[in-house]
Amino acid sequence: MTPESSPVTSTGDWLDRYAGSLLGVFGRPQTVLTRGEGCYVEDADGKRYLDLLAGIAVNTLGHGHPALVEAISAQAARLMHVSNFFTSPPQVELAELLLELAEAPSGSAVFFANSGTEAIEGAIKLTRRTGRSQIIAAENAFHGRSTGALALTWKPAYREPFAPLIPDIVHVPYNDEDALRRAVQEAGTNLAAVILEPIQGEAGIIPGETAYLALARELTSAAGALLVFDEIQTGVGRTGAWFAFQHHGVVPDAMTLAKGLAGGVPIGALVTFGAEVTALLTHGQHGSTFGGNPLACAAGLATLRTVQAQGLVEHALAMGEHLASAVDGLAHPLIAGVRGRGLLRAIVLTQPVAATVAARALAAGFIVNPVAPEAIRLAPPLIITRAELDSFVAALPSLLAGLAPDPGGGA
Ligand SMILES: *Cc1c(COP(=O)(O)O)cnc(C)c1O
């Protein structure tokens, strides 16, 4: 009865054991993955998949990238964890590189956590230090699952079973300038912050408009409140800029990062912009046992340096544009268009059949995500090639076959 000595365990057996031992919050996993290389992963039955999701925008460098494996292995052997009573070279180097890539002004700083939701917790605590309590977030926003971040997350099904959550959170329709103006005015001098995703991820890859993000900047500055950008999904080159805010020239007071930052090793970060914002959180007001540990930071450093050395930010932009135009080129009656930027994309369907398309894609050897009933999310590793993207685009018509109603014929 030693599970580790059962290399022939099939996918079905693993899934049965999963059901008998894991909390049911995720439902039944789609399959059991055992290895990966580049943009491909393999399941317990030996089936190969082109990974167009990258663990939800996490595997920046794909699977088994030599630079990342080498950095993690070397750091694991050298020094893995020290607590925040101490620091280590990778922690300092990663913080410095993040500030440089974010073009953050002097006095800016980084707090390291272990996940996205923890980065958001840090941001919430930062906003409380303004002495105000109201936070404006967007409808359909996703900011995480811990009870603080959950109050900012929109979806009632995620929030309501856990009420009451922290108070004084207002949700406004995304990209609606008048609604934002009204909410800021109503909050008055109790407005602590506005928090926005520059592209809403879980909502279905909805890009924020430059004018809207700039208005959020203008209104928060005028109100003496903070502007927080949640770049947990959009950061680290994914959209074809190091950070999505750089596309818009709208600089926040704070930014959260996580998913792609360490290429698959758990990490989160809160970046504070400028000395005044940085000074809001002082000695003893926040902390983490694991946050900023040398292993995660070495992985982050290797990820950022590889993205930098291989020009993967520019590559993400070019591959994203190639993907969008190739999908548009299909002129398929079931495809309404492609949303997003760089390699954070949604193929928008004219019918709510994304779940069926994703299931067919999996069967055909492609991992994609039905992020909304009518939207298929693609967030592949930034190393993905034109040929790999083309193999999916070539398969798309067969994945949609029989689902498309006669154009004009209704569903
Ligand atoms: C994934 C995500 C989070 C939460 O990150 P976790 O690591 O799952 O806690 C928060 N905000 C955004 C925009 C995300 O995409």
Side-chain angles (χ1 to χ4, degrees):
M1 298 300 275
T2 49
E4 61 273 18
S5 66
S6 53
V8 294
T9 304
S10 72
T11 292
D13 290 338
W14 283 120
L15 291 177
D16 289 343
R17 285 167 60 181
Y18 178 98
S21 58
L22 276 292
L23 196 64
V25 292
F26 298 107
R28 188 175 169 87
Q30 295 169 50
T31 187
V32 183
L33 298 174
T34 54
R35 61 201 305 152
E37 190 180 357
C39 293
Y40 288 87
V41 289
E42 190 180 304
D43 75 12
D45 296 333
K47 182 176 162 76
R48 259 163 62 92
Y49 303 86
L50 179 60
D51 184 2
L52 294 163
L53 189 61
I56 317 184
V58 168
N59 303 103
T60 303
L61 303 178
H63 302 275
H65 194 289
L68 185 54
V69 172
E70 203 280 322
I72 293 169
S73 306
Q75 190 61 49
R78 191 180 300 123
L79 186 68
M80 203 155 12
H81 176 82
V82 295
S83 90
N84 283 299
F85 294 138
F86 304 93
T87 187
S88 61
Q91 184 183 58
V92 176
E93 289 180 289
L94 180 59
E96 288 175 348
L97 184 52
L98 274 176
L99 295 177
E100 180 193 324
L101 297 173
E103 303 166 291
S106 79
S108 300
V110 181
F111 173 84
F112 286 115
N114 312 287
S115 65
T117 205
E118 280 178 74
I120 295 288
E121 294 300 321
I124 293 172
K125 288 177 73 173
L126 181 79
T127 71
R128 282 288 173 92
R129 296 294 302 143
T130 60
R132 304 163 171 204
S133 63
Q134 183 152 328
I135 302 177
I136 297 172
E139 291 180 6
N140 299 305
F142 184 83
H143 297 295
R145 302 282 204 146
S146 55
T147 53
L150 192 55
L152 300 176
T153 289
W154 163 252
K155 207 174 177 179
Y158 291 172
R159 270 189 292 128
E160 283 168 1
F162 307 100
L165 297 168
I166 62 167
D168 298 346
I169 309 295
V170 171
H171 288 93
V172 295
Y174 191 63
N175 275 335
D176 182 334
E177 296 184 22
D178 288 340
L180 184 61
R181 262 194 212 96
R182 274 197 305 276
V184 168
Q185 190 167 16
E186 276 164 30
T189 54
N190 193 31
L191 183 67
V194 171
I195 179 165
L196 296 169
E197 298 161 83
I199 296 176
Q200 288 193 315
E202 300 310 300
I205 317 300
I206 315 290
E209 289 157 16
T210 297
Y212 180 69
L213 300 174
L215 179 68
R217 175 68 285 174
E218 189 186 305
L219 294 173
T220 46
S221 293
L226 302 178
L227 177 63
V228 180
F229 282 157
D230 180 350
E231 295 241 19
I232 289 169
Q233 192 158 158
T234 52
V236 195
R238 174 143 302 275
T239 68
W242 275 103
F243 305 100
F245 77 81
Q246 292 166 325
H247 288 298
H248 305 284
V250 178
V251 181
D253 297 303
M255 161 173 82
T256 53
L257 299 171
K259 290 190 164 79
L261 177 54
V265 174
I267 194 168
L270 170 68
V271 181
T272 55
F273 284 72
E276 206 180 322
V277 179
T278 297
L280 288 173
L281 279 174
T282 58
H283 185 182
Q285 291 185 332
H286 200 35
S288 168
T289 297
F290 287 124
N293 83 63
L295 186 73
C297 290
L301 206 50
T303 301
L304 295 183
R305 284 180 175 158
T306 304
V307 169
Q308 218 172 10
Q310 301 190 352
L312 294 179
V313 178
E314 300 74 18
H315 182 71
L317 193 67
M319 288 303 99
E321 274 160 25
H322 172 71
L323 173 73
S325 65
V327 171
D328 285 340
L330 293 174
H332 195 285
L334 200 54
I335 297 176
V338 180
R339 277 199 300 253
R341 208 155 186 167
L343 287 173
L344 185 59
R345 295 284 179 167
I347 299 174
V348 184
L349 306 172
T350 60
Q351 302 290 328
V353 292
T356 304
V357 176
R360 287 180 175 188
L362 192 73
F366 300 100
I367 293 178
V368 300
N369 170 245
V371 66
E374 76 302 324
I376 296 165
R377 171 168 51 182
L378 305 178
L382 304 192
I383 58 167
I384 199 157
T385 64
R386 195 175 290 258
E388 286 164 341
L389 289 171
D390 287 346
S391 73
F392 174 69
V393 176
L396 252 180
S398 71
L399 304 177
L400 298 170
L403 297 174
D406 207 349

